Amino acid sequence: MAPGTVPEWTIIDFIHRGPWWTNRGILILNIMLVLPLLTSVTNGLDSSLVNGLQILPGWQDYFGHPEGRDLGLIGFAQNLGGILGLPFTPFISDHFGRRATLFVGSIIMLAGVGVQAASNSVAMFIAARATVGVGLIMCTNAAPLLLVELSYPTQRGKLSSIYNSSWYIGSIISAWVCFGAYMGARDSVWSWRAPSLVQGFVPLLQVALVWFIPESPRFLVSKGLEGQASTILAKYHANGDDARDPLVVFEIAQIRHALRMEEEINKNTSYLSLFATPGNRKRMRIIIAIAMFSQWSGNGLVSYYINLVLDGVGVTRTETKAAINGGLQIFNFCIAASAAMLIDWVGRRSLFIVSNAGMLITFSAWTVSSALYNTMGNAAAARATIPLIFLYYFFYDIAYTPMLVAYTLEILPYKVRARGFALMNLVVMLTSTFNQFINPWALEAIGWWYYIVYCGWLIVELVFVVWFVVETKGRTLEETAAIFDDEYQQHDLRVMGGEAATMSMSRGVIGVNETDEHSGHSEDRLDSPARKEYPQYFELQSRQRRFSDDGDSAVIKSFY
């Protein structure tokens, strides 16, 4: 750096230092964010419930043991509702707010849950599942947006990663609720009506409490409500009521400037905007790819048809299959939640590469063990398949479970964030539909040979991840979204935020500085009243002088 050049301040210079739970504002905010976080639990519960209901004699008898087309429609109905509601959810999120979308989606879900619990025919049950799907897609679009746009900068990566990992909690609850209802009601209609009603617990909480959560500051700034956004950030990010706090000024300046730059690029925002610029095309290439990889890495074989997979290696006892499946869900959650805590330390790109490389190796070994059992009757190979499935999911869960949602939302700019996220969800739905219809047919037709197809595809995935996925840790949400555009925009965002924050602090200490100078005391004294009240400002001033005197730039470590 040339002598006299002013260094770029980053958000690291203004954030809270020390454990987050010692900051009252961050603590209260994180407690509030549990509510949108529960949407993922609901998603896991709703998505897994039909599989659980199918094992209940009471459900089978009441609906006449549905099979074929009826059973397929029952399984697909929720996805169908999601696909029908998907095009409209970004519009509601962007025009009425994240909270309003979550509220409306929860009401629709409650209506669907009521119809499902009261169903007296297969057609009514299918309609109820589709209604639940419409409400769920609205909630799953709005909740992560609210989570990622409202969370404290150092908490954003972890919270958004925990969001998708919580899907497994819902899946576990679904399994145990169905089991408990069966043990308590056996062949009664309440063996399936009661689990259906459980779906309404989280939506009911969200309807009652969502208005107590602050709105996304990004949404408020986009609507010209900067005062409200500053108040929210001051209360929960700066632990006070001072909208002039350097962190608040830094964030507002970056949000405002990012929105202006986006408006220059995307004059009129639509779904076509996702592919209208080189930067957006780079983003969507990665988002569509990781959405496909999340369903087509071989995990769909176990997620939807573990019964056929275990039959293929000689595991036929129902109790054993149930124990393996139940243990796998708990294992998945533990690994995914642990990985969510590591993403800011290890980095997104590193986890994606390790995940894909590990899946390729373990899935190849899984294929070999299945081949040895099916062609040679090797019992040892069959026994090895079970730990290989767990090991495979270990690698899957360290990246695709926690980061599918988190990484997608990070790299999308505000103006197209809701639409880009909706498109990601659509790709997931379509690829999971492929899993539901093609995988069982292929497994029955060619058995373990079908695994070889996934081995080849996993090689493609690994090459793509190494070549295209970029690192995003250590940046604010606005800076992360800008890394796919030119370097000037990234630099501009950092300068705008840093200058605004330091100017805010300088205005706060100017009067005290004058008093100190008049009294003959240096503002740099450690016991200076101004230094005690505004330590960050004087630290920055001291660093700026060192930059100017030495002409060297010290490395500013990321807060991550």
Side-chain angles (χ1 to χ4, degrees), residues 288-542:
I288 291 173
I290 63 174
M292 291 169 59
F293 298 167
S294 73
Q295 301 298 314
W296 283 356
S297 294
N299 54 304
L301 296 174
V302 176
S303 298
Y304 296 100
Y305 299 103
I306 191 172
N307 185 56
L308 296 177
V309 171
L310 294 178
D311 280 341
V313 292
V315 178
T316 56
R317 294 184 67 244
T318 302
E319 294 83 355
T320 305
K321 292 178 180 178
I324 292 172
N325 188 40
L328 182 61
Q329 301 308 311
I330 297 173
F331 174 81
N332 284 337
F333 172 71
C334 292
I335 298 303
S338 300
M341 297 296 103
L342 296 175
I343 67 167
D344 290 333
W345 177 53
V346 178
R348 281 72 158 164
R349 174 179 161 81
S350 298
L351 285 176
F352 271 119
I353 292 174
V354 171
S355 174
N356 278 95
M359 285 193 295
L360 174 60
I361 294 170
T362 53
F363 197 88
S364 298
W366 176 1
T367 302
V368 171
S369 68
S370 297
L372 288 174
Y373 174 75
N374 283 275
T375 58
M376 302 174 61
N378 190 319
R383 289 192 295 271
T385 299
I386 308 305
L388 282 171
I389 290 175
F390 277 78
L391 189 58
Y392 164 84
Y393 265 95
F394 169 85
F395 287 108
Y396 178 87
D397 287 328
I398 65 174
Y400 286 96
T401 298
M403 289 197 295
L404 174 63
V405 170
Y407 193 79
T408 296
L409 293 178
E410 281 183 344
I411 67 177
L412 285 167
Y414 175 83
K415 287 291 186 179
V416 294
R417 185 171 290 139
R419 287 178 171 83
F421 187 53
L423 184 59
M424 186 276 286
N425 282 320
L426 176 62
V427 174
V428 169
M429 288 179 187
L430 294 177
T431 48
S432 64
T433 300
F434 174 93
N435 286 339
Q436 291 173 336
F437 288 99
I438 301 300
N439 282 347
W441 170 80
L443 283 172
E444 291 179 5
I446 59 177
W448 68 269
W449 286 97
Y450 185 50
Y451 295 175
I452 296 177
V453 175
Y454 280 109
C455 289
W457 180 249
L458 283 166
I459 295 173
V460 174
E461 289 186 9
L462 180 58
V463 172
F464 181 94
V465 165
V466 171
W467 192 259
F468 291 109
V469 170
V470 299
E471 186 53 71
T472 60
K473 73 171 184 176
R475 297 176 172 89
T476 65
L477 193 58
E478 281 65 40
E479 292 168 358
T480 301
I483 62 178
F484 293 90
D485 300 308
D486 57 65
E487 292 185 4
Y488 170 77
Q489 291 192 13
Q490 300 176 55
H491 170 81
D492 207 21
L493 279 171
R494 290 192 294 269
V495 169
M496 289 292 293
E499 287 185 353
T502 52
M503 286 175 63
S504 175
M505 287 191 292
S506 66
R507 285 197 298 270
V509 300
I510 188 169
V512 180
N513 288 347
E514 291 171 353
T515 302
D516 286 344
E517 290 169 0
H518 181 74
S519 304
H521 296 295
S522 169
E523 65 185 31
D524 289 333
R525 278 181 42 186
L526 294 178
D527 61 349
S528 164
R531 178 178 282 278
K532 289 180 179 179
E533 186 172 358
Y534 299 96
Q536 293 164 310
Y537 171 75
F538 289 106
E539 180 185 348
L540 292 174
Q541 293 297 310
S542 176

Side-chain angles (χ1 to χ4, degrees), residues 104-356:
V104 173
S106 296
I107 288 178
I108 295 174
M109 284 188 67
L110 286 174
V113 167
V115 174
Q116 180 178 322
S119 294
N120 55 22
S121 67
V122 170
M124 189 174 178
F125 192 88
I126 291 171
R129 295 298 299 165
T131 304
V132 169
V134 172
L136 183 61
I137 198 61
M138 295 181 68
C139 292
T140 54
N141 183 269
L145 294 174
L146 185 61
L147 198 68
V148 76
E149 293 173 357
L150 184 59
S151 55
Y152 193 75
T154 56
Q155 303 289 304
R156 189 193 73 239
K158 297 180 182 68
L159 284 172
S160 57
S161 299
I162 281 288
Y163 173 83
N164 210 43
S165 304
S166 301
W167 188 95
Y168 287 116
I169 297 178
S171 178
I172 294 167
I173 292 173
S174 172
W176 285 106
V177 164
C178 288
F179 177 77
Y182 172 71
M183 296 300 294
R186 291 288 173 175
D187 297 333
S188 164
V189 294
W190 287 104
S191 66
W192 64 268
R193 291 195 196 275
S196 295
L197 289 173
V198 170
Q199 293 176 104
F201 178 71
V202 171
L204 187 61
L205 277 180
Q206 291 176 330
V207 166
L209 301 176
V210 70
W211 299 111
F212 294 98
I213 300 176
E215 182 56 271
S216 160
R218 274 83 179 172
F219 170 77
L220 293 173
V221 173
S222 74
K223 297 300 181 184
L225 303 173
E226 288 189 18
Q228 293 184 31
S230 296
T231 301
I232 290 171
L233 291 175
K235 185 174 183 179
Y236 298 106
H237 285 199
N239 195 22
D241 298 320
D242 186 7
R244 297 174 302 173
D245 184 277
L247 176 60
V248 176
V249 175
F250 184 98
E251 291 188 276
I252 288 293
Q254 280 206 339
I255 293 169
R256 183 196 307 119
H257 194 61
L259 287 173
R260 286 176 181 170
M261 290 192 301
E262 290 175 35
E263 286 172 357
E264 291 177 3
I265 297 171
N266 300 305
K267 300 294 184 182
N268 297 308
T269 305
S270 67
Y271 279 99
L272 294 178
S273 302
L274 296 173
F275 305 95
T277 68
N280 283 351
R281 287 192 290 271
K282 292 176 186 176
R283 295 180 181 99
M284 295 313 301
R285 177 174 58 198
I286 295 176
I287 289 170
I288 291 173
I290 63 174
M292 291 169 59
F293 298 167
S294 73
Q295 301 298 314
W296 283 356
S297 294
N299 54 304
L301 296 174
V302 176
S303 298
Y304 296 100
Y305 299 103
I306 191 172
N307 185 56
L308 296 177
V309 171
L310 294 178
D311 280 341
V313 292
V315 178
T316 56
R317 294 184 67 244
T318 302
E319 294 83 355
T320 305
K321 292 178 180 178
I324 292 172
N325 188 40
L328 182 61
Q329 301 308 311
I330 297 173
F331 174 81
N332 284 337
F333 172 71
C334 292
I335 298 303
S338 300
M341 297 296 103
L342 296 175
I343 67 167
D344 290 333
W345 177 53
V346 178
R348 281 72 158 164
R349 174 179 161 81
S350 298
L351 285 176
F352 271 119
I353 292 174
V354 171
S355 174
N356 278 95

